[in-house]
Amino acid sequence: MPDRLVLLGSKGGPALRPGGPWPSSSLLEIGGRTIVVDCGLGVTRGLVDAGISLKALDLIFITHLHSDHVLELGPLIHTAWTAGLATPISVFGPPGTGHYWRRFCQAMEFDIEIRIVDEGRPDIRELVSIDEFGEGQVVEQGGLKVTALRVDHPPVTDCFALRVEHGGKNVVFSADTAFFPPLADFAKGADLLVHEAMLQEGIERLVARTGNGARLKEHLLASHSFAEEAGRIASDAGVKRLVLNHLIPADDPEIGEADWLAAVRNTWAGDLTIARDGLVVGLSGAKAAQGEETA
């Protein structure tokens, strides 16, 4: 299998609406490793649709503990366990990830205990290791290196961009962040920069639909990046391709791909991908992977 990125869930925020996309999660296959970045609602179905055997889960990274990034972490691992997972799985996340996992296992204690006894399964609690990280190196093993950068996503203080490197290939995930110039240095020369993006013209309609009004708008403006700001980071970093993801809004019928293109082209003239659920982005540096749309 060639190295690839699959955008399993492409929308920002936890709300689901009829016909709309799913929240944040990505699959990165690089150097023979199967890496999941964030576990918003729908990640399990997305992985299966991408052709991944849940028994092959290897590494999971959580950028921060907002629900659209962590809600389905426990259910993903549990479902993999019921599908036959019997090998260790490593989860890396910010402080609080271990608390989430322990409480999930407590909530599912009846099911876990009875399946161990009745179905002869290994103890899921002994298969999973949780490593909580801060800034700096997170993983270095078998040629894979992952580093973290704290980004600006108030009021969440433990929110981290991730840089994944293997065999000379580099993929950077911005996580959720306001415009944050240090991210350009962190992403310098990356093959892919997967950066969140927001459109000004959709914010008023989004807060009207959600019902939180001024408070939600205040959060969005303080904690997220406009598409043109993502383009500026990509330009300053000199990346090979910018992938706009975690789109806000992602399910507004009045906003299409042309609107995202128009916004980001003010600051980014290079290769560009606008996320949608299930989209595949190749890492070969040659032609686009099957099913990929580029601009």
Side-chain angles (χ1 to χ4, degrees), residues 8-23 41-42 209 247 249-253 275-278:
L8 306 175
S10 59
K11 79 176 294 288
L16 294 180
R17 299 181 179 90
W22 290 82
L41 196 63
R209 280 191 298 168
L247 304 178
D251 53 3
D252 187 325
R276 69 168 186 271
D277 291 4

Side-chain angles (χ1 to χ4, degrees), residues 61-178:
F61 292 88
I62 302 298
T63 61
H64 67 295
L65 296 181
H66 264 149
S67 60
D68 53 326
H69 297 258
V70 75
L71 187 64
E72 203 170 303
L73 171 61
L76 168 61
I77 297 172
H78 187 280
T79 304
W81 180 63
T82 64
L85 179 73
T87 53
I89 184 168
S90 299
V91 178
F92 298 86
T97 304
H99 177 75
Y100 165 96
W101 173 247
R102 289 188 297 272
R103 290 303 180 97
F104 174 81
C105 289
Q106 288 174 358
M108 295 299 295
E109 185 174 17
F110 174 82
D111 182 87
I112 290 171
E113 296 287 359
I114 205 166
R115 290 187 188 278
I116 291 171
V117 174
D118 186 48
E119 301 173 8
R121 299 186 183 276
D123 193 329
I124 189 174
R125 295 158 293 199
E126 296 175 2
L127 288 177
V128 178
S129 65
I130 306 288
D131 289 286
E132 297 183 347
F133 64 83
E135 271 198 325
Q137 183 172 295
V138 180
V139 174
E140 187 164 10
Q141 55 178 238
L144 177 72
K145 182 180 179 181
V146 180
T147 52
L149 173 72
R150 188 185 305 274
V151 290
D152 186 17
H153 187 51
V156 179
T157 55
D158 290 322
C159 183
F160 298 95
L162 297 172
R163 183 180 181 112
V164 183
E165 304 177 57
H166 190 284
K169 296 177 182 177
N170 302 270
V171 179
V172 174
F173 298 87
S174 74
D176 287 13
T177 182

Side-chain angles (χ1 to χ4, degrees), residues 123-271:
D123 193 329
I124 189 174
R125 295 158 293 199
E126 296 175 2
L127 288 177
V128 178
S129 65
I130 306 288
D131 289 286
E132 297 183 347
F133 64 83
E135 271 198 325
Q137 183 172 295
V138 180
V139 174
E140 187 164 10
Q141 55 178 238
L144 177 72
K145 182 180 179 181
V146 180
T147 52
L149 173 72
R150 188 185 305 274
V151 290
D152 186 17
H153 187 51
V156 179
T157 55
D158 290 322
C159 183
F160 298 95
L162 297 172
R163 183 180 181 112
V164 183
E165 304 177 57
H166 190 284
K169 296 177 182 177
N170 302 270
V171 179
V172 174
F173 298 87
S174 74
D176 287 13
T177 182
F179 178 60
F180 190 60
L183 185 57
D185 287 334
F186 185 71
K188 189 72 71 178
D191 295 287
L192 297 178
L193 170 60
V194 185
H195 199 296
E196 72 138 76
M198 183 168 60
L199 278 183
Q200 177 75 53
E201 56 264 39
I203 292 178
E204 293 295 344
R205 290 193 298 271
L206 175 62
V207 298
R209 280 191 298 168
T210 306
N212 293 20
R215 290 294 298 275
L216 178 57
K217 181 178 179 180
E218 182 181 332
H219 164 75
L220 293 173
L221 295 177
S223 303
H224 294 279
S225 301
F226 289 111
E228 48 267 44
E229 293 174 326
R232 192 177 311 165
I233 295 293
S235 293
D236 290 347
V239 302
K240 294 179 182 176
R241 175 175 292 276
L242 171 62
V243 179
L244 294 186
N245 192 33
H246 194 273
L247 304 178
I248 303 173
D251 53 3
D252 187 325
E254 297 185 39
I255 291 176
E257 187 168 288
D259 298 291
W260 294 102
L261 292 172
V264 77
R265 283 308 186 200
N266 292 323
T267 53
W268 172 249
D271 290 340

Side-chain angles (χ1 to χ4, degrees), residues 241 273 280-294:
R241 175 175 292 276
T273 297
V280 178
V281 183
L283 288 176
S284 63
K287 31 188 180 173
Q290 184 176 8
E292 182 186 353
E293 285 186 4
T294 60

